[in-house]
Amino acid sequence: MSGPVVAGVDGSRRSLTAAEWAAREAARRGVALRLVHACPPLPRRVSPVPGVDAWQQVGEQMLGRTVADFRARHAGLEIDGKHTAAEPAEALLTAATSAGLLVVGARGWGGFDGLAVGSVALRVTAMADCPVVTVPETRRTGTGRDDWVGPDSSPGPDDWAAAETAEVQLGFDAHAPAEATVAFAFRAAQERGVPLRVVHAWALPPASPSAWMLTVLEEDRATWEDQESQVVSDALRPWRESCPEVTVVPDVVLLNPAEALVRASERAGLLVIGRRTATRPTELRLGPVAHAVLHHARCPLAVVPHPAG
């Protein structure tokens, strides 16, 4: 958590919006901001040697201008840039090994209209050693209304000011809480001085009728919900005692977890969820809930790796 905040930039407005979010986060943490630009070499058969060199020079110049611009707008923040000829995902994963946080735009230059999350964001979110924040294509001001700022406008220092007054929300499994994920969410809420809403989605017992069938008695549903609420309260008690300055708002909902979290993101300044770390290369992927939330979240999404168990 003490390493620099690393942001991937490729010159697109989407990546600059994410880098702006990263700069504000680095300032809050009191750490450096590192902007990483990856420019994999062109095949020799596509471009002669002078063209290959020019391709790298353009990338270096873009990164230099970006670093200079961010330094001018974020006085007092230590900012450096790193240009590499590696593939973008590999470059970011390498940088993540010494980072406290990795920040990427949901998409860069690639993809197509309607694509929510690009391949680079998807890969680093599933594989990075540190928490990853994915910043959506559009920016919400945090009021809960559809008052988006489109990606075609240049990011500025006040882009995220309103959104950062909105509460932090945590996707929480009270039956198997992940310490790293909960710690990240509490810290984020504490640093922003905002409430932490803890979203616990639950389902009716498998032997019971469907939640949408009229044969489910209201008193039975209420009893099960009370039991879930108690589990949430018990699981959060140590955190409330260790972080009394954070206002915690438990939110127990009878809903599919992915749907509950996507809905929660509509009013959040930041949504925090967990990801189990893998023990084998074939397991390096997001689970179904994290995958769905990544593609549909309406606010910056922090995915925090934690050991399985």
Side-chain angles (χ1 to χ4, degrees):
M1 296 290 283
S2 60
V5 173
V6 173
V9 293
D10 63 3
S12 67
R13 296 194 186 279
R14 298 182 182 95
S15 73
L16 295 178
T17 298
E20 182 64 41
W21 191 97
R24 300 178 73 93
E25 182 67 16
R28 262 192 302 270
R29 295 179 174 219
V31 300
L33 171 66
R34 177 163 299 148
L35 302 179
V36 175
H37 176 252
C39 188
L42 296 172
R44 296 288 179 178
R45 65 179 181 275
V46 173
S47 177
V49 172
V52 171
D53 293 341
W55 174 253
Q56 293 296 323
Q57 291 172 4
V58 168
E60 292 174 354
Q61 291 170 359
M62 183 280 295
L63 179 61
R65 290 193 300 269
T66 302
V67 170
D69 176 60
F70 272 71
R71 284 175 176 167
R73 292 191 291 106
H74 295 276
L77 180 62
E78 180 184 348
I79 303 175
D80 62 27
K82 180 175 178 57
H83 175 83
T84 173
E87 293 292 333
E90 292 301 327
L92 293 173
L93 289 171
T94 298
T97 59
S98 60
L101 183 69
L102 175 61
V103 182
V104 294
R107 280 179 53 195
W109 283 115
F112 50 86
D113 289 343
L115 180 67
V117 179
S119 59
V120 172
L122 186 61
R123 186 176 178 195
V124 299
T125 301
M127 297 179 64
D129 293 330
C130 69
V132 178
V133 170
T134 304
V135 180
E137 180 175 351
T138 44
R139 306 186 298 280
R140 176 177 290 279
T141 63
T143 63
R145 302 189 305 271
D146 289 333
D147 42 7
W148 296 85
V149 181
D152 293 333
S153 60
S154 298
D158 296 326
D159 277 353
W160 294 104
E164 289 172 357
T165 64
E167 61 190 11
V168 172
Q169 302 209 9
L170 166 66
F172 188 64
D173 180 358
H175 299 280
E179 182 174 349
T181 308
V182 179
F184 185 100
F186 267 84
R187 174 179 174 173
Q190 182 182 42
E191 290 175 340
R192 289 164 173 76
V194 300
L196 173 62
R197 181 174 296 273
V198 179
V199 182
H200 171 77
W202 67 287
L204 293 171
S208 70
S210 166
W212 314 118
M213 291 177 62
L214 296 178
T215 52
V216 177
L217 297 178
E218 179 62 25
E219 53 265 34
D220 289 339
R221 190 201 63 79
T223 297
W224 289 321
E225 186 168 17
D226 287 344
Q227 292 172 350
E228 292 295 318
S229 297
Q230 187 60 53
V231 172
V232 171
S233 178
D234 292 344
L236 289 174
R237 184 174 297 111
W239 294 96
R240 282 175 149 164
E241 293 174 351
S242 63
C243 301
E245 65 278 14
V246 175
T247 299
V248 179
V249 183
D251 194 355
V252 179
V253 292
L254 177 58
L255 204 62
N256 171 275
E259 185 178 358
L261 293 173
V262 170
R263 288 188 182 184
S265 73
E266 294 179 1
R267 293 184 175 274
L270 175 67
L271 175 61
V272 182
I273 63 175
R275 168 183 68 82
R276 292 185 179 89
T277 53
T279 57
R280 297 191 298 271
T282 55
E283 296 175 337
L284 290 171
R285 61 183 181 85
L286 294 174
V289 173
H291 189 275
V293 176
L294 176 63
H295 280 78
H296 298 285
R298 307 272 285 181
C299 70
L301 173 69
V303 179
V304 182
H306 62 83

